[in-house]
């Protein structure tokens, strides 16, 4: 149980284009999902908290107009990187919060974004 | 400023040796979680500790939570190459606050 998928697993796009990444909880419903960014050999950096049916909450320093988050259902959240630039190249990971009441998060396999 | 400090940052040991990773927090969280991440993949939850003084065992892995619920340790006995990875501790309230991680390499 508690399986989270991400699609695509990797994507290469040209500078100035937009890229959408999907995060799905496959066997449980998640009212709360999270989006992280990770640079090589570093820890995870929380970008935003995504709540089903409401606006996402962004961490300080994260541009909400650049990283659009939509939590359309209890099993799907999407992150759209708009007008991507090479500095947006990174490993993006989503997670879904479990229902144990202990704030456990279950992570997707990540999406490697490369902007050329 | 990172709320959780992990040490050491890097650890390279021979197969069969033991290792310990430490996680110290400046705050008390609702729970503390340990994750393991392999390159190119998402973190996998290993354990959640909630109660001060708690000890949990997962095969060769032993997790301890300090009495004050501010520090934790992960001990691996007789490490194997399959234990190689990035170990992350995270303090959990509504969201997770991650430590910087410990990169463990177990050489065959």
């Amino acid at each position: 149980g508690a399986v989270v998928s991400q699609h695509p697993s990797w994507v290469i796009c040209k500078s100035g284009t937009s890229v959408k990444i999907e995060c799905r909880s496959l066997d449980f419903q998640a009212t709360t999902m999270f989006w992280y960014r990770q640079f090589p050999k570093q820890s995870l950096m929380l970008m935003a908290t995504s709540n089903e049916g409401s606006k996402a909450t962004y961490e300080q320093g994260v541009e909400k107009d650049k990283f659009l988050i939509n939590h359309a259902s209890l099993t799907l959240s999407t992150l759209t990187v708009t007008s991507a630039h090479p500095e947006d190249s990174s490993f993006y990971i989503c997670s879904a919060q479990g229902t144990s009441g202990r704030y456990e998060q279950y992570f997707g396999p990540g999406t490697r974004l490369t902007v050329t | 400023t990172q709320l959780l400090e992990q040490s050491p940052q890097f650890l390279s040991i021979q197969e069969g040796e033991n290792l310990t990773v430490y996680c110290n927090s400046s705050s008390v969280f609702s729970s503390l979680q340990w994750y393991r991440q392999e390159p190119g993949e998402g973190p996998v939850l290993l354990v959640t500790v909630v109660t001060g003084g708690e000890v949990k065992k997962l095969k060769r892995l032993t997790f301890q939570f300090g009495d004050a619920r501010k520090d934790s340790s992960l001990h691996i006995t007789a490490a194997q190459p399959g234990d190689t990875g990035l170990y992350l501790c995270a303090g959990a309230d509504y969201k997770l606050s991650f430590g910087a991680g410990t990169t463990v390499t177990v050489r065959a």
Side-chain angles (χ1 to χ4, degrees), chain B residues 10-82:
Chain B
F10 300 97
L11 199 53
S12 180
I13 61 170
Q14 201 70 33
E15 181 177 5
E17 294 181 338
N18 302 331
L19 69 95
T20 302
V21 178
Y22 299 93
C23 177
N24 294 295
S25 172
S26 57
S27 302
V28 176
F29 294 93
S30 298
S31 68
L32 192 139
Q33 301 167 17
W34 284 93
Y35 292 82
R36 177 169 161 265
Q37 184 182 24
E38 296 193 33
E41 299 182 12
V44 174
L45 178 64
L46 297 175
V47 78
T48 299
V49 286
V50 178
T51 307
E54 187 173 1
V55 178
K56 284 193 172 180
K57 290 193 175 184
L58 190 67
K59 295 183 181 178
R60 294 176 293 100
L61 277 62
T62 301
F63 303 87
Q64 290 190 316
F65 201 19
D67 291 339
R69 298 177 61 229
K70 284 190 170 184
D71 56 281
S72 182
S73 64
L74 156 62
H75 183 80
I76 301 179
T77 304
Q80 300 175 0

Side-chain angles (χ1 to χ4, degrees), chain A residues 38 43 51 59 102-104, chain B residues 33 37 48 93-95 99:
Chain A
Q38 187 177 32
S43 188
N51 296 296
E59 295 298 300
R102 298 187 298 184
Y103 303 111
E104 292 164 344
Chain B
Q33 301 167 17
Q37 184 182 24
T48 299
D93 282 315
Y94 180 69
K95 56 185 180 182

Side-chain angles (χ1 to χ4, degrees), chain A residues 57-71:
Chain A
T57 303
Y58 290 82
E59 295 298 300
Q60 191 172 9
V62 177
E63 298 176 60
K64 60 179 67 177
D65 294 330
K66 181 168 188 60
F67 298 100
L68 300 179
I69 291 172
N70 183 267
H71 198 144

Side-chain angles (χ1 to χ4, degrees), chain A:
Chain A
V3 179
V4 177
S5 70
Q6 266 183 257
H7 178 80
S9 54
W10 59 271
V11 57
I12 301 172
C13 71
K14 290 190 176 181
S15 188
T17 62
S18 296
V19 174
K20 180 186 283 189
I21 302 170
E22 291 187 349
C23 177
R24 294 181 185 271
S25 56
L26 298 184
D27 52 1
F28 67 105
Q29 293 184 331
T31 55
T32 304
M33 291 184 172
F34 301 87
W35 287 96
Y36 296 84
R37 185 172 180 177
Q38 187 177 32
F39 293 102
K41 300 192 183 301
Q42 292 188 22
S43 188
L44 280 72
M45 182 187 75
L46 179 64
M47 298 175 65
T49 302
S50 170
N51 296 296
E52 188 268 337
S54 63
K55 290 183 178 180
T57 303
Y58 290 82
E59 295 298 300
Q60 191 172 9
V62 177
E63 298 176 60
K64 60 179 67 177
D65 294 330
K66 181 168 188 60
F67 298 100
L68 300 179
I69 291 172
N70 183 267
H71 198 144
S73 73
L74 289 172
T75 59
L76 173 64
S77 176
T78 60
L79 168 68
T80 300
V81 183
T82 62
S83 187
H85 288 99
E87 56 265 30
D88 298 324
S89 298
S90 191
F91 192 52
Y92 293 88
I93 311 176
C94 73
S95 70
Q97 191 166 84
T99 56
S100 70
R102 298 187 298 184
Y103 303 111
E104 292 164 344
Q105 292 185 21
Y106 298 93
F107 287 83
T111 297
R112 171 73 57 193
L113 170 63
T114 302
V115 185
T116 61

